[in-house]
């Protein structure tokens, strides 16, 4: 079965100020209430998705129940007074400029939640890239419980290095109806969207996505020696939004017959499908620093851990003032990680790793070490210079991860089941998805 469905998308009526309508995903700027206060001033009394979502900066406030009730009332109002209108069944082709040299190009479509499972060890066709924190679902589920529509910020990734699915559609925009073209508030850039009506083009798009997971092609692409579960889609952003949609659907379907489940709107989540090879997606590794450690003990523990897991660990050390003065060269059947501590730099090489990517190999050991050494702490660092500064302080050790190959993200999920927490960063806060489209989730 195909995971992709053709939805009936809700859009604001013609004449709506889309600059005020579209606001950034609710899980951004969670420590900056002033951002959301400015957004509120920008919106004023105009129709806006700000009134249909709950910014997570307010999620633990005392008035969250009142805010949620108001959101649900506004959803009903926008539906009844025509602020929101339903398009015929179809996809939306979207292009977003957010300050980089190239735009992000995507396809807004619906995904069957029966294809998605966020639990550890999932073998579903749609899987998260990183571990889902189930404790984050209940407060979001409370917001969704009495909602009539969903306005998700989910980004689903496909691995299409030959650009066979989304990119060719931009040669056809002259024949499509443009449904939005607007600047986005608060440094969000500019976004355009074209409607693709259900029919031959949507069928061809679904077929092109399915072709990406031909078994022989799949095994070659990910260098697999056995038939591991196929992975057509990986959740790149908004996983907890999708996990909440899944939890809600599981609750709803308990009261439905099998026939009623087939086409219930809550079964399908609205997503933007993006090619991981889109030039705008900058996939950057997130490095690690360990605090309060005996560095010699940690290195000895690494050798013992990898030996116990059927691998061989080699550590090459040298003295030097620049902890980043090394090259992490990819090796056949080996993972390499840079290290620094005190006045020492080096490379940790694990031969014959059982994990899919270098970070998986490293994090498996660090998790084991943290469990056995409760005084040790870990932090996740974006910049190499910060790792150098922190990692060389007394009692600390820094770990530099190599650049991430885009299709290695899929390979890591396929082999390891889920990537470690804080594997990669994909864009700054202002580049995250802005709410534009929505969809009914009740009959």
């Amino acid at each position: 079965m195909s995971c992709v469905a053709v939805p009936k998308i809700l859009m604001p009526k013609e004449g709506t100020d889309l600059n005020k309508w579209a606001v950034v995903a609710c899980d951004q700027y969670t420590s900056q209430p002033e951002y959301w206060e400015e957004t509120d001033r920008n919106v004023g009394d105009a129709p806006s998705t700000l009134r249909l979502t709950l910014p997570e900066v307010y999620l633990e406030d005392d008035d969250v129940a009142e805010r949620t009730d108001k959101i649900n009332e506004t959803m009903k109002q926008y539906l009844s007074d025509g602020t929101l209108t339903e398009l015929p069944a179809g996809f939306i082709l979207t292009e977003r400029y957010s300050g980089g040299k190239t735009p992000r190009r995507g396809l807004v479509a619906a995904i069957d939640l029966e294809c998605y499972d966020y639990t550890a060890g999932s073998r579903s066709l749609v899987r998260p890239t990183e571990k889902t924190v189930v404790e984050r679902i209940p407060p979001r589920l409370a917001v969704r419980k009495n909602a009539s529509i969903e306005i998700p910020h989910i980004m689903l990734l496909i691995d299409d290095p030959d650009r066979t699915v989304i990119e060719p559609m931009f040669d056809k925009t002259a024949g499509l109806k443009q449904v939005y073209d607007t600047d986005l508030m608060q440094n969000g850039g500019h976004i355009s969207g074209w409607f693709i009506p259900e029919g031959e083009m949507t069928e061809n798009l679904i077929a092109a996505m399915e072709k990406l997971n031909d078994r022989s092609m799949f095994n070659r692409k990910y260098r697999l020696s056995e038939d591991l579960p196929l992975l057509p889609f990986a959740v790149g952003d908004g996983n907890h939004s999708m996990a909440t949609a899944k939890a809600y659907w599981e609750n709803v379907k308990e009261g439905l017959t099998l026939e009623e489940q087939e086409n219930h709107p809550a079964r399908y989540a609205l997503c933007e499908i993006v090619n991981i090879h889109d030039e705008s997606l900058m996939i950057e590794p997130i490095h690690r620093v360990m605090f309060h450690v005996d560095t010699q003990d940690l290195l000895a523990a690494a050798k013992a851990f990898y030996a116990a897991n059927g691998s061989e660990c080699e550590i090459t050390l040298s003295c030097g003032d620049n902890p980043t003065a090394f090259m992490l060269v990819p090796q056949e059947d080996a993972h390499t990680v840079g290290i620094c501590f005190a006045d020492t730099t080096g490379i940790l090489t694990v031969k014959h790793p059982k994990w899919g990517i270098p970070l998986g190999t490293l994090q498996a050991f660090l998790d084991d070490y943290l469990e056995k050494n409760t005084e040790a702490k870990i932090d996740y660092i974006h910049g190499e210079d910060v790792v150098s500064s922190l990692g060389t302080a007394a009692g600390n050790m820094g770990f530099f991860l190599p650049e991430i190959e885009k299709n290695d993200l899929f390979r890591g999920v396929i082999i390891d089941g889920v990537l470690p927490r804080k594997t990669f960063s994909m864009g700054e806060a202002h580049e995250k998805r802005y709410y534009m489209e929505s969809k009914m989730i009740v009959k």
Side-chain angles (χ1 to χ4, degrees):
M1 79 177 185
S2 174
C3 296
V4 182
V6 184
K8 289 186 176 180
I9 294 172
L10 292 166
M11 286 294 299
K13 67 183 177 182
E14 192 171 341
T16 300
D17 185 342
L18 296 180
N19 180 264
K20 295 183 177 182
W21 173 261
V23 302
V24 78
C26 65
D27 59 350
Q28 300 304 305
Y29 302 102
T30 55
S31 299
Q32 297 170 257
E34 64 275 10
Y35 174 93
W36 293 103
E37 291 163 4
E38 178 63 21
T39 299
D40 187 71
R41 286 191 289 271
N42 288 344
V43 167
D45 295 329
S48 175
T49 54
L50 181 64
R51 309 306 178 203
L52 304 175
T53 56
L54 178 62
E56 293 187 5
V57 68
Y58 306 124
L59 205 55
E60 296 182 5
D61 287 4
D62 292 338
D63 65 346
V64 67
E66 290 81 359
R67 286 178 180 269
T68 300
D69 289 343
K70 181 62 176 175
I71 288 168
N72 293 331
E73 290 172 10
T74 306
M75 287 179 177
K76 293 175 182 176
Q77 176 193 330
Y78 283 4
L79 290 168
S80 64
D81 67 11
T83 299
L84 281 169
T85 59
E86 192 173 71
L87 302 179
F91 297 151
I92 290 181
L93 187 70
T94 184
E95 183 175 65
R96 164 87 177 278
Y97 286 88
S98 53
K101 294 181 180 179
T102 58
R104 184 179 78 224
R105 290 174 161 179
L107 186 73
V108 179
I111 290 292
D112 187 347
L113 290 167
E114 290 293 324
C115 293
Y116 166 72
D117 183 3
Y118 57 81
T119 57
S122 166
R123 299 167 68 88
S124 58
L125 295 173
V126 184
R127 274 170 263 163
T129 49
E130 296 184 354
K131 181 180 179 181
T132 304
V133 182
V134 293
E135 292 80 10
R136 293 178 62 182
I137 296 175
R140 292 157 180 79
L141 195 57
V143 176
R144 194 180 184 93
K145 181 180 177 182
N146 295 313
S148 48
I149 65 174
E150 65 169 9
I151 315 165
H153 57 268
I154 301 161
M155 186 188 298
L156 276 191
L157 300 174
I158 57 173
D159 188 358
D160 183 19
D162 296 326
R163 295 164 172 78
T164 62
V165 179
I166 295 169
E167 291 81 359
M169 289 301 302
F170 283 86
D171 295 331
K172 304 176 182 179
T173 54
L176 301 174
K177 179 182 178 181
Q178 190 166 53
V179 288
Y180 52 79
D181 185 42
T182 184
D183 289 335
L184 297 169
M185 71 168 74
Q186 297 271 63
N187 197 34
H190 189 92
I191 193 167
S192 304
W194 296 265
F195 181 67
I196 305 173
E198 184 175 30
E200 183 179 356
M201 281 191 286
T202 58
E203 291 172 1
N204 289 342
L205 282 163
I206 292 171
M209 284 184 267
E210 290 180 344
K211 188 176 179 180
L212 293 176
N213 284 274
D214 169 80
R215 170 54 72 182
S216 59
M217 183 188 299
F218 185 86
N219 286 359
R220 287 196 306 273
K221 182 191 295 185
Y222 302 114
R223 308 184 300 281
L224 303 178
S225 58
E226 57 180 312
D227 287 351
L228 295 178
L230 295 170
L231 182 63
F233 302 98
V235 185
D237 230 345
N239 182 59
H240 288 90
S241 176
M242 194 159 185
T244 301
K246 173 71 170 183
Y248 175 77
W249 166 237
E250 291 297 320
N251 290 341
V252 168
K253 79 177 188 180
E254 286 182 3
L256 303 176
T257 66
L258 290 177
E259 185 178 0
E260 289 171 332
Q261 291 177 23
E262 283 298 317
N263 296 300
H264 195 282
R267 175 171 171 162
Y268 301 91
L270 208 58
C271 309
E272 180 183 346
I273 300 171
V274 178
N275 184 6
I276 195 171
H277 297 280
D278 189 289
E279 288 83 355
S280 73
L281 292 186
M282 304 302 293
I283 309 295
E284 298 178 350
I286 301 178
H287 309 293
R288 270 70 171 145
V289 173
M290 293 285 282
F291 300 84
H292 314 306
V293 296
D294 180 317
T295 54
Q296 296 306 314
D297 175 73
L298 190 150
L299 294 176
K303 289 189 173 183
F305 174 82
Y306 292 118
N309 281 274
S311 303
E312 179 185 349
C313 177
E314 292 183 354
I315 299 170
T316 306
L317 301 177
S318 62
C319 291
D321 296 328
N322 183 4
T324 61
F326 50 75
M327 292 292 290
L328 297 177
V329 179
Q331 298 183 29
E332 185 72 23
D333 196 24
H335 290 157
T336 57
V337 175
I339 58 176
C340 69
F341 60 95
D343 63 348
T344 302
T345 64
I347 295 178
L348 184 152
T349 301
V350 179
K351 297 181 178 179
H352 318 301
K354 70 177 187 179
W355 299 273
I357 59 174
L359 179 54
T361 297
L362 173 65
Q363 194 64 46
F365 161 64
L366 295 182
D367 287 343
D368 181 78
Y369 190 85
L370 288 163
E371 185 177 343
K372 295 174 180 175
N373 298 270
T374 55
E375 72 283 0
K377 304 296 179 186
I378 190 171
D379 200 3
Y380 307 92
I381 309 296
H382 288 266
E384 289 187 355
D385 55 340
V386 180
V387 179
S388 301
S389 175
L390 293 175
T392 53
N396 295 352
M397 180 179 286
F399 295 85
F400 300 89
L401 276 300
E403 292 296 317
I404 298 174
E405 294 293 331
K406 286 186 172 183
N407 63 343
D408 275 354
L409 289 181
F410 274 69
R411 187 170 191 269
V413 175
I414 291 162
I415 294 175
D416 298 340
V418 68
L419 299 177
R421 182 172 179 266
K422 300 289 186 181
T423 294
F424 63 93
S425 172
M426 194 167 64
E428 302 295 329
H430 72 277
E431 298 173 294
K432 300 297 183 178
R433 196 166 203 284
Y434 274 56
Y435 298 117
M436 181 67 78
E437 302 88 351
S438 56
K439 182 183 73 64
M440 297 294 297
I441 58 173
V442 297
K443 286 279 191 181

